[in-house]
Amino acid sequence: MAQIEQSDKGGKKKKGAQKKMSIHVDFTPMVDMNMLLITFFMLCTTMIKSQTLQISLPTNEKLEQQDMSKAKESEAITLIVDTERNENGDIKKDEEGKPLNIVYYYEGQAQIDTITGASNIKKETFVGNDGTVQRGIRKILHDRNKQVLAKIDVLKEQWRNKELHPNKDLNDSIYQARAKEYRNDSTLTRPIVVIKATPQASWESLISALDEMQINHISRYQIDNMNRTDSLMIDGYNRANR
């Protein structure tokens, strides 16, 4: 509360002289009220949830030492990312100004005819969906992981309808946990993807390949180096498709 104190030093005062007064304001109640308001808003305000990227990390499945570098041929698919460049080494771009990043791929083991150069390698592009229809390399990966994606699509519908739990935050955590279980479910047919890059490939092309792993919920993938067979397969494909 405020107090007004009149100063009186004694002695004679001139007639008509103004009386001097000192004002003292106690801010203690104001500080207490501010602390109560801050506490109230902290407890009642819904904090913004961090919008972080949910990354499907590679699986942590235990494998025997002799199987570490092996995969079932029916599950294996190899992606070799590349970037088209001109004679000066600059990245070529399409009509929309996007870099021309491409991806070569083959399923199972590499198969190449040393005489003709023919192989089982194919070529695709990084391209988004046409509505709900997958295109490019995304369609190839989607079809290879369709059992996992089918289960996750059902889980997404349950998550949207809040069928997992009435509490929204817990609902989201349950969704993430169950989606991870589906991605690592060994009873489902899941691909094992090996990602490689040519010497002229850009970082963007490699990141695009990793993005496709997240979009298609593929948990078993690794980045590896190209070998001589990969180079021969790409050269043979380009000569045959000039």
Side-chain angles (χ1 to χ4, degrees), residues 60-79:
N60 194 28
E61 297 177 11
K62 293 182 179 179
L63 298 174
E64 297 297 334
Q65 185 66 31
Q66 62 269 21
D67 297 331
M68 290 294 288
S69 60
K70 298 180 181 179
K72 292 182 181 179
E73 185 174 353
S74 59
E75 297 177 346
I77 178 171
T78 301
L79 309 183

Side-chain angles (χ1 to χ4, degrees), residues 5-237:
E5 298 177 356
Q6 180 175 345
S7 61
D8 187 6
K9 297 181 180 179
K12 295 183 178 181
K13 297 181 180 180
K14 294 182 180 180
K15 189 175 182 179
Q18 294 181 350
K19 297 180 179 180
K20 295 183 178 179
M21 295 178 292
S22 62
I23 300 175
H24 172 70
V25 180
D26 185 4
F27 283 99
T28 303
M30 182 69 70
V31 173
D32 292 341
M33 182 176 292
N34 286 337
M35 293 302 297
L36 289 173
L37 288 173
I38 292 172
T39 304
F40 171 78
F41 287 123
M42 288 180 64
L43 295 176
C44 297
T45 302
T46 301
M47 300 298 178
I48 298 176
K49 188 175 180 180
S50 178
Q51 301 297 318
T52 56
L53 175 65
Q54 295 292 339
I55 299 179
S56 305
L57 296 176
T59 180
N60 194 28
E61 297 177 11
K62 293 182 179 179
L63 298 174
E64 297 297 334
Q65 185 66 31
Q66 62 269 21
D67 297 331
M68 290 294 288
S69 60
K70 298 180 181 179
K72 292 182 181 179
E73 185 174 353
S74 59
E75 297 177 346
I77 178 171
T78 301
L79 309 183
I80 306 176
V81 297
D82 191 17
T83 302
E84 294 189 12
R85 298 177 182 269
N86 58 25
E87 58 276 4
N88 297 324
D90 298 325
I91 298 175
K92 293 183 180 180
K93 297 184 179 181
D94 58 16
E95 297 177 353
E96 298 179 356
K98 297 180 180 179
L100 290 174
N101 295 318
I102 55 179
V103 54
Y104 300 93
Y105 74 96
Y106 59 88
E107 299 174 312
Q109 295 182 354
Q111 300 174 6
I112 182 171
D113 189 324
T114 56
I115 299 176
T116 63
S119 66
N120 61 336
I121 199 168
K122 300 176 183 177
K123 183 179 178 181
E124 271 295 352
T125 57
F126 293 106
V127 60
N129 295 350
D130 183 6
T132 58
V133 179
Q134 295 81 20
R135 300 181 297 171
I137 194 62
R138 183 172 301 175
K139 175 174 173 53
I140 306 299
L141 296 172
H142 180 275
D143 293 344
R144 295 298 300 268
N145 203 36
K146 59 185 178 182
Q147 288 189 8
V148 173
L149 291 171
K151 285 186 171 291
I152 290 181
D153 286 342
V154 174
L155 188 65
K156 283 181 180 179
E157 191 64 26
Q158 294 175 338
W159 177 72
R160 293 191 187 99
N161 298 332
K162 296 187 178 180
E163 296 176 9
L164 299 178
H165 196 282
N167 183 279
K168 183 177 179 181
D169 294 333
L170 187 57
N171 189 13
D172 180 68
S173 62
I174 292 177
Y175 165 77
Q176 297 295 342
R178 291 189 183 177
K180 183 177 180 179
E181 291 177 2
Y182 290 146
R183 289 193 293 267
N184 298 330
D185 189 350
S186 59
T187 63
L188 301 176
T189 301
R190 301 172 298 153
I192 300 176
V193 182
V194 179
I195 303 173
K196 302 181 180 182
T198 64
Q200 62 267 22
S202 65
W203 279 105
E204 183 180 356
S205 63
L206 183 59
I207 292 173
S208 297
L210 294 175
D211 285 343
E212 295 299 330
M213 300 300 106
Q214 313 305 319
I215 294 171
N216 291 284
H217 293 276
I218 296 174
S219 62
R220 300 191 297 176
Y221 63 90
Q222 70 175 38
I223 299 176
D224 201 357
N225 295 322
M226 284 187 61
N227 54 39
R228 184 172 181 273
T229 302
D230 296 327
S231 300
L232 291 174
M233 292 171 68
I234 292 176
D235 291 341
Y237 178 91

